[in-house]
Amino acid sequence: MFVFGRKDLPADPVFPADLTKLGYFINDNDQIRMIMDPEKEFQYKINKHERWNDMQREAMNTCIRNIVSSRLHDLGLVTLRLPLTAKPTDPHVPILVSKNISSASRVIVVFGEPIQDLGVWAYRTIGHESIDAGSAVAFARAVLNEKVDADSTTDPNSKVTNNNLSDTALVLANTGQLVWHCRSRRAMTLASWPCVPRESAVDPPPAMTRRNKIPGNGNWQEHVNYVFDEILAARGRLVRADAKIGVIGLADGGLGAIRYLANNWESWRPYISAICLSNPLHLASIDLGAQQNTEDSSSFASFISSRCRGYMISNQPVGLPVASSHDHGCNCYSSGEGLNVECIMPQAWKNMLEWLDQTFADPNHCEARLVIREFSGNGLPEGFVDEELDGEDN
């Protein structure tokens, strides 16, 4: 019988969080590519053992997080620790807010997906398209009017400024990094937790305890509640007393916002301007609470019906009305993304901003509920029999 001592176990692999040392660089198109082969994207599999592959990917993701964070700070966003009383070494979750949050007449708040890091929409979009496209950088630049043409290509290292300061503030919530790692004293996602250092490459990941919980932000629903209660509700202190709020919710982040507002609609009805959801997960019959009467203009259901949009998985052109398999109580539109939920935001955020701008400019604008019908090959609704065609067949 062979017995292995601790000294005989393979050491845990370590990869530097440095693009150059990992063998990559950022090309002129803001894409991460291999130094040895500039046409190749990030290569996940470098070893037959998954631990090596996972640790290399986490090092790459750390590089991306640092780049995205730096660019967002260059655009004027600052980091805010939650809970608000937390010290840098206390368990906390970081969020990003623009410097004009206390003076802006409009605030756009984004509740992202719980599987993503702060400021990241989709790592796969970052890998395939560009860093700005797959992160909140291009979006934040458009919201804060830091870029005249949102479709043009801009040097990611340049700091473009606008003399006319925007009257719109931005809040990037953080529904993903809700696990506190005591040794490194930072918040991380559940996806990053297995990649924390271990005694050996074959040791199991550390168990989570109450010490890894962040007060008031133990899960994505608690975090959504905290952002509303402690940030957006601080009218006259953190935000303007009369500021209108536009909400963008991605998957579970949107579900958390809908559930919170459904339970507190009377308090928030004067302040919420409009809502945009990617891959909406709420059900009108369950999550809209007791206010399911769309005939009552003051009800939350009526607001969702007229001032809320859902963007669905669909390869149809962005903004085209599409049918949904569930009743969300709002009109649903194509996102232009036909496969991955996490890639909806990179494809549809421009259309979302147009809708939020329209509703903010016209507080009385109400979108009519659309009825989507599926058509058969002869151009007629399913189940409809044209008598003339039926007669010809006989």
Side-chain angles (χ1 to χ4, degrees):
M1 177 178 175
F2 295 97
V3 178
F4 289 94
R6 298 294 306 179
K7 62 181 179 63
D8 300 315
L9 299 178
D12 199 28
V14 177
F15 292 89
D18 184 288
L19 276 182
T20 303
K21 293 180 179 179
L22 289 174
Y24 293 86
F25 76 107
I26 301 175
N27 65 17
D28 294 337
N29 296 320
D30 197 31
Q31 300 168 323
I32 297 176
R33 295 294 182 262
M34 293 185 68
I35 296 175
M36 297 295 293
D37 188 349
E39 298 299 319
K40 281 192 176 181
E41 301 176 4
F42 172 71
Q43 302 296 306
Y44 165 74
K45 190 169 184 180
I46 60 171
N47 195 290
K48 64 180 180 180
H49 298 290
E50 286 192 7
R51 181 63 177 169
W52 271 255
N53 301 327
D54 290 342
M55 292 300 287
Q56 187 218 197
R57 179 178 59 187
E58 181 61 20
M60 172 59 72
N61 289 351
T62 301
C63 293
I64 294 173
R65 287 194 293 267
N66 293 338
I67 294 169
V68 170
S69 177
S70 175
R71 293 184 184 182
L72 290 173
H73 282 100
D74 288 343
L75 290 175
L77 276 76
V78 296
T79 301
L80 198 62
R81 294 188 298 270
L82 303 184
L84 293 173
T85 57
K87 300 176 182 178
T89 56
D90 293 337
H92 67 270
V93 54
I95 66 171
L96 293 171
V97 301
S98 58
K99 294 178 181 179
N100 63 337
I101 186 172
S102 62
S103 60
S105 62
R106 178 171 69 149
V107 178
I108 293 179
V109 57
V110 182
F111 297 103
E113 293 188 65
I115 62 172
Q116 300 294 353
D117 288 292
L118 177 61
V120 174
W121 304 143
Y123 281 108
R124 73 174 72 240
T125 302
I126 290 176
H128 296 328
E129 298 181 24
S130 71
I131 297 175
D132 281 7
S135 70
V137 175
F139 170 80
R141 189 178 290 122
V143 170
L144 300 174
N145 288 335
E146 292 287 344
K147 189 175 179 184
V148 177
D149 182 3
D151 292 323
S152 64
T153 302
T154 301
D155 181 1
N157 296 318
S158 67
K159 298 180 182 180
V160 182
T161 58
N162 193 329
N163 292 329
N164 297 321
L165 296 178
S166 170
D167 197 33
T168 299
L170 177 62
V171 176
L172 295 178
N174 191 354
T175 59
Q177 297 174 328
L178 299 178
V179 180
W180 181 255
H181 186 232
C182 300
R183 181 181 298 180
S184 62
R185 294 182 177 179
R186 65 183 179 93
M188 61 178 58
T189 64
L190 288 174
S192 293
W193 181 258
C195 296
V196 299
R198 307 179 191 177
E199 291 188 18
S200 76
V202 294
D203 273 289
M208 291 187 188
T209 67
R210 58 177 179 81
R211 299 176 65 231
N212 305 115
K213 290 283 188 180
I214 298 175
N217 296 267
N219 54 58
W220 51 265
Q221 184 64 67
E222 286 187 10
H223 178 68
V224 171
N225 296 352
Y226 194 98
V227 171
F228 272 110
D229 290 336
E230 303 298 330
I231 306 298
L232 301 177
R235 288 180 281 273
R237 185 164 56 92
L238 292 180
V239 298
R240 245 171 69 164
D242 60 345
K244 297 296 183 180
I245 299 170
V247 179
I248 296 179
L250 314 184
D252 300 274
L255 176 60
I258 291 294
R259 287 177 172 173
Y260 174 87
L261 291 173
N263 293 328
N264 302 274
W265 183 237
E266 285 305 313
S267 300
W268 287 93
R269 184 162 60 88
Y271 305 104
I272 303 299
S273 174
I275 301 175
C276 284
L277 305 170
S278 79
N279 188 43
L281 298 178
H282 71 279
L283 299 177
S285 60
I286 298 176
D287 297 303
L288 298 188
Q291 304 183 45
Q292 298 182 25
N293 180 17
T294 58
E295 301 299 326
D296 180 4
S297 60
S298 65
S299 69
F300 185 53
S302 177
F303 179 88
I304 291 296
S305 174
S306 60
R307 309 265 300 183
C308 177
R309 283 186 171 188
Y311 289 81
M312 315 298 293
I313 283 286
S314 172
N315 55 12
Q316 298 294 325
V318 180
L320 187 73
V322 295
S324 173
S325 57
H326 300 288
D327 179 17
H328 303 297
C330 63
N331 290 333
C332 294
Y333 298 85
S334 170
S335 65
E337 169 59 38
L339 185 60
N340 299 296
V341 170
E342 63 183 8
C343 297
I344 290 179
M345 187 63 174
Q347 294 291 334
W349 66 259
K350 293 177 185 176
N351 197 273
M352 292 181 181
L353 283 187
E354 290 176 2
W355 164 246
L356 293 180
D357 289 343
Q358 180 182 354
T359 53
F360 177 72
D362 184 3
N364 296 318
H365 176 78
C366 293
E367 188 170 61
R369 283 300 302 273
L370 302 176
V371 178
I372 309 298
R373 292 184 178 179
E374 299 289 341
F375 287 86
S376 59
N378 60 7
L380 299 175
E382 291 286 355
F384 181 88
V385 178
D386 186 270
E387 295 183 357
E388 294 184 2
L389 292 177
D390 187 54
E392 291 178 2
D393 291 338
N394 294 331

